[in-house]
Amino acid sequence: MRYAMAIDTRKCVGCSDCVVACQTENNVPVGFCRDWVVEVVDGTYPNVSIELRSERCNHCNNSPCVRCCPTGASHFEDGGIVVVNHNKCIGCGACIESCPYDARYSHPEGYVDKCTFCIHRVRQGSDPACVSVCPTKCMYFGDLSDPNSKIVNVLKNRKHKSLAPEAGTQPQIFYLL
Amino acid sequence: MHTRRKFIKIGSLGLGAAALTTGLANWVVGSASSKNSSNGSQSLAYGKKVATYCEVCFWKCAGWAYVTPNGQIQKIIGNDDDPQCNGRLCPRGTGGVGMFSDPDRLKTPLIRVTKDGEQTYREATWDEALNFIATKMKEIREKHGPESMALFNHGSSGKYFTHLLNAFGSNNVAAPSFAQCRGPRDTGFELTFGESVSSPEVTDIRDTRCLVLIGSHIGENMHNGQVQEMSEAIDKGAVIITVDPRLSTAASKSKYWLPIKPSTDLALLLAWIHVLIYDQRYNKAYVEKYAEGFKELKEHVKDYTPEWAYGITTIKPELIRNTAREMANAAPSVIIHPGRHTTWYGDDVQRSRAIAILNGLLGSWGNRGGIYFKEGIKVPEFPRPDYPKPAWSWQDTLNGRYPFAKEAVTNTVIEASIPAEGKKNVIKGWIVSGTNLIVSIPLKEELMKAMQSLDLLVVVDTMPMEITGYADVVLPECTYLERYDDLRATAHREPTLALRMPAVEPMYETKPAWWIAKQIGERLGLGSFFNYKDFKEVLEWQLNKIGSSLNEMERIGLKKFERKTALYIDPNDDFKFKTPSGKIQFNSKELQEAGFDAMPKYTSHPQPEDGFYRLIYGRAPMHTFSRTANNRNLVALMPENSVWVNPQIAELWGIKKDQYVWLKNQDGVVSNFSVKVRITERIRWDSVYIVHGFGHHHKPLTYAFGRGVNDTELVTHVATDPIMGGTGMRGNFVTFLTTQPKKEAKG
Ligand code: SF4
Ligand code: SF4
Ligand code: SF4
């Protein structure tokens, strides 16, 4: 099992619903976020293009955050989901420094927090909150090792990229172009 | 004589501070500790989920409020069965909980008093406030007649006050959503097809093969169902054509973006009509069968060639031809989107007519992938006595102007509130519900004059919006999450009913609008119009009549009914449009008889002088008008607006990224606050763009105060549409002030 996400940049409108839904689902304090939206503008008027993409922890296969965590709080769960155990976390912030995607933040209650792929929902067979709220249905969540899954299908049929592959972390969020 | 109504800042009075801590003690977003969970991903225990429909915008998506065992609203999720949202609320709806938890909410009734020669508010009990209003309304009725009470409204609560006023004997009920927003579109489509596209719009976007957006920025305007369907259309490979001086989000997803010179849209539309007709690419069978006036139209657009339009619009003739062909190829599964906010230049009905005519030429009305026929459930009206017949009404405030206004025109109702020598039918009292007139009405001078002349101004709202500072009485309404409301029975592809019920008890001293209207009504001797104790009784009665019950609705939230009529035109049917002749009107006799152009003509509009840029305003997906600028769940996504400036212009002015500037318009009006500059290639060099709804100058909006700039304060030039009274607001030009102007920002 290998959970991953594919996000269609052709459909995303940058509305940030994924951000609000994550906050209310996961009790993320106002002013912090586990996911966010990036807009990249390219070209000169009137030959301009925009890429909109919703970003979050990439649940990397080769994750520096897990490697550098001194307490083992940052760890892998089944399906490759990278999770921080809040009880074990001492808030040292080493993982924040090591993440090339700036995916983590210090929770005001003293631990480090980030996207969990909504593991509590996934275990019950639901999609993560961001995926299930997105008005444009531009996000696909699923199991890469299941050849019949929608995500495997879209990745097969569409050109895609991941972010900063050169960092060597093997990110598992893919952007459909 | 009436004392002049001075603006009072509610927050400076230190009112309701105690209530704040009690109501909010347990309400901190993110307060439920997740420390105890082993994997950092607590799954929250939900006590119950409660049926509601959203009130953050007019789309009114049905959903569920999830309430924790200790009575906090944790999240709001769309109702899967609702065809208006398909289980997916937009960011504002998801963040709607911030409307409920806003610490700045109105908490208790307030009455204007004069203390030591100073006007101020004092906290009042509901009884005091309601008695005060009833006494004033009786005085107005005796002295001037019941018609002298008017209502301005927006949203669900307007209904109860409309009922109250109708029972009282007035139908002076106006909403800015007509003359400041969708009025021109509705009028233009009514004149052409005999009916408007209503709300939610009956555009069949999900099945369209070609979607043309002209000044409509779906995706930034987060009209939920439409955004969802546009995404579906993208998936299915529909061609999108977007006309906008700004690279909108939709434009960036389009096969064709036409970066038009602002104010010239009508020239482009006429050229498209020309191409379709002269290249013989229009839908001949459809036009022959359903339309009249084709010959006249053909003659009328003879000289409106793409070459002619090029000189005006800056859009190349080839591009105009190609896009017209794309539409023709897709016809009749094509939509030239009617838009929504269409009060731009004062000839807006005519522009909307051109859009309607294009749709008619392509045969989209009544065809799959074009415009479908809606169907809704008729909810029976709770028994009541007949309304008295008013001696005069809002139609009389038109004074012979705007003959095609089918809804009340705010501007003329405001005008009727300014007394003058020999003027009959003067309005003396207002109830304002759910609309911040200070921001939504561009005719500020008239608005101020009117408000100063009133004998009574009641404002009902959940938040201390600017308008509350002018009220004699401020009534704190509870939010949509704390009340029962009328059934949502909007017409759509499928008839549906949605229920809104309280997720939690109203906080502070707030009350639902149905209760407020009933209380005032009873004090006016109109109790027989409010023959129920609780609004639940009304709902139960109505639901029983249509084969449901409150019980069932509380369980399912949304009920679907079977459609009885066809979704599209049946080609075997002898279909009649709702126009006087039963046919689509290319050449409008109605307009002609009233002295207007029977077919749209291009007229040029003023252009900015050197150093000035056209002020274009629009929407951001996480905000609704000015009502979300204080919502803590949403402001984190966009705390303030910025002014979009083309890099060449920024360089010319030496303006740096993120620098704050003040804007000054053609009439010398300077923005209250400064605004951050966003230097971007997404905007034309002759225009600047700002998102509407920011720049609040009312301190009680503790978060929103002073953040960004309010576009409407810079709209001092208004071009009024003579056909229906729409206030065209896109003819304003601004320049930059890089140092703080002398005038102190007022607060
Ligand atoms: S909710 Fe969907 S459309 Fe909106 S920003 Fe997130 S990914 Fe994009
Ligand atoms: S994105 Fe950052 S936090 Fe997430 S797994 Fe990779 S390195 Fe770790
Ligand atoms: S579109 Fe968004 S704000 Fe409007 S009713 Fe739906 S969820 Fe609410």
Side-chain angles (χ1 to χ4, degrees), chain A residues 17 25 39 45 87 134 136, chain B residues 35 75 89 231 678 684:
Chain A
D17 204 2
E25 175 69 31
E39 174 192 321
Y45 195 97
N87 288 332
C134 172
T136 69
Chain B
K35 257 276 186 196
K75 61 177 183 182
L89 298 180
S231 177
R678 174 182 180 186
R684 253 179 92 102

Side-chain angles (χ1 to χ4, degrees), chain B residues 266-300:
Chain B
L266 191 45
L268 173 67
L269 289 162
L270 290 165
W272 272 339
I273 295 174
H274 174 97
V275 175
L276 289 178
I277 293 179
Y278 285 90
D279 287 4
Q280 307 247 12
R281 295 301 304 270
Y282 64 99
N283 192 334
K284 283 198 198 87
Y286 182 94
V287 168
E288 252 162 49
K289 195 163 172 191
Y290 299 117
E292 61 186 20
F294 178 77
K295 237 180 61 209
E296 292 89 340
L297 178 66
K298 183 170 176 180
E299 178 58 26
H300 176 72

Side-chain angles (χ1 to χ4, degrees), chain B residues 491-512:
Chain B
H492 207 257
R493 287 193 186 92
E494 299 163 272
T496 58
L497 270 190
L499 175 72
R500 175 185 286 158
M501 57 182 287
V504 291
E505 285 299 303
M507 287 220 284
Y508 317 116
E509 289 298 315
T510 65
K511 294 283 186 191

Side-chain angles (χ1 to χ4, degrees), chain B residues 63-326:
Chain B
W64 299 103
Y66 285 73
V67 184
T68 58
N70 57 351
Q72 301 171 20
I73 302 171
Q74 179 58 35
K75 61 177 183 182
I76 310 169
I77 303 291
N79 187 319
D80 288 333
D81 291 333
D82 183 16
Q84 273 163 237
C85 78
N86 305 300
R88 291 160 187 262
L89 298 180
C90 86
R92 300 160 302 159
T94 307
V97 60
M99 217 159 127
F100 159 77
S101 59
D102 197 312
D104 298 330
R105 276 176 63 174
L106 292 170
K107 300 178 179 80
T108 172
L110 303 172
I111 296 181
R112 176 182 296 263
V113 288
T114 305
K115 215 162 104 188
D116 309 327
E118 275 285 308
Q119 294 193 9
T120 182
Y121 285 121
R122 71 170 176 82
E123 285 189 34
T125 63
W126 273 101
D127 242 351
E128 283 177 294
L130 296 164
N131 287 339
F132 180 95
I133 294 167
T135 308
K136 284 279 183 189
M137 281 177 77
K138 280 186 200 152
E139 275 172 32
I140 290 173
R141 180 167 61 189
E142 265 149 45
K143 267 205 239 152
H144 310 278
E147 299 82 1
S148 288
M149 277 302 298
L151 166 69
F152 295 90
N153 75 105
H154 191 270
S156 296
S157 305
K159 277 203 182 167
Y160 313 109
F161 297 110
T162 303
H163 173 63
L164 172 68
L165 251 66
N166 289 165
F168 188 63
S170 166
N171 72 358
N172 284 316
V173 175
S177 54
F178 183 71
Q180 277 67 52
C181 194
R182 61 178 163 73
R185 166 196 91 174
D186 289 354
T187 308
F189 272 69
E190 274 157 13
L191 285 164
T192 314
F193 293 109
E195 61 187 309
S196 82
V197 289
S198 60
S199 173
E201 286 80 3
V202 285
T203 44
D204 205 8
I205 298 177
R206 72 173 184 205
D207 285 321
T208 198
R209 293 172 56 210
C210 178
L211 173 64
V212 183
L213 301 174
I214 181 152
S216 167
H217 51 348
I218 299 181
E220 282 157 297
N221 78 39
M222 205 62 203
H223 304 163
N224 199 350
Q226 287 191 36
V227 178
Q228 297 192 11
E229 293 196 16
M230 184 172 82
S231 177
E232 213 173 318
I234 292 174
D235 248 354
K236 292 183 184 161
V239 172
I240 303 181
I241 300 167
T242 300
V243 182
D244 203 313
R246 182 178 66 94
L247 183 80
S248 60
T249 302
S252 78
K253 307 203 175 293
S254 302
K255 179 165 175 193
Y256 301 94
W257 170 39
L258 282 55
I260 196 165
K261 176 171 170 181
S263 81
T264 66
D265 311 77
L266 191 45
L268 173 67
L269 289 162
L270 290 165
W272 272 339
I273 295 174
H274 174 97
V275 175
L276 289 178
I277 293 179
Y278 285 90
D279 287 4
Q280 307 247 12
R281 295 301 304 270
Y282 64 99
N283 192 334
K284 283 198 198 87
Y286 182 94
V287 168
E288 252 162 49
K289 195 163 172 191
Y290 299 117
E292 61 186 20
F294 178 77
K295 237 180 61 209
E296 292 89 340
L297 178 66
K298 183 170 176 180
E299 178 58 26
H300 176 72
V301 298
K302 197 171 67 195
D303 298 328
Y304 290 137
T305 61
E307 285 68 24
W308 163 82
Y310 174 44
I312 294 167
T313 60
T314 73
I315 305 299
K316 295 225 168 70
E318 253 335 277
L319 191 51
I320 297 178
R321 288 206 166 82
N322 284 345
T323 43
R325 277 178 208 135
E326 289 273 14

Side-chain angles (χ1 to χ4, degrees), chain A residues 66-139:
Chain A
V66 173
R67 239 180 295 126
C68 76
C69 175
T71 64
S74 280
H75 66 285
F76 289 103
E77 290 278 335
D78 287 351
I81 302 181
V82 176
V83 163
V84 187
N85 182 330
H86 294 167
N87 288 332
K88 279 198 192 166
C89 175
I90 53 170
C92 72
C95 54
I96 297 181
E97 292 304 313
S98 79
C99 171
Y101 306 100
D102 205 11
R104 294 170 168 246
Y105 72 94
S106 280
H107 193 284
E109 285 177 23
Y111 51 84
V112 169
D113 189 45
K114 68 164 198 71
C115 160
T116 61
F117 265 174
C118 284
I119 191 167
H120 61 289
R121 292 172 59 101
V122 170
R123 282 192 178 144
Q124 286 167 8
S126 309
D127 275 335
C130 54
V131 177
S132 73
V133 80
C134 172
T136 69
K137 293 195 191 161
C138 75
M139 293 192 251

Side-chain angles (χ1 to χ4, degrees), chain B residues 457-527:
Chain B
L457 175 47
V458 181
V459 174
V460 189
D461 213 313
T462 65
M463 292 293 297
M465 306 307 279
E466 277 79 3
I467 182 72
T468 54
Y470 296 91
D472 296 308
V473 186
V474 180
L475 300 180
E477 191 184 2
C478 59
T479 67
Y480 69 104
L481 294 161
E482 304 162 283
R483 67 190 193 218
Y484 279 103
D485 248 322
D486 235 343
L487 295 162
R488 186 200 86 182
T490 40
H492 207 257
R493 287 193 186 92
E494 299 163 272
T496 58
L497 270 190
L499 175 72
R500 175 185 286 158
M501 57 182 287
V504 291
E505 285 299 303
M507 287 220 284
Y508 317 116
E509 289 298 315
T510 65
K511 294 283 186 191
W514 67 259
W515 182 90
I516 301 173
K518 175 174 151 71
Q519 291 293 324
I520 299 175
E522 283 167 354
R523 284 168 171 78
L524 292 167
L526 303 170

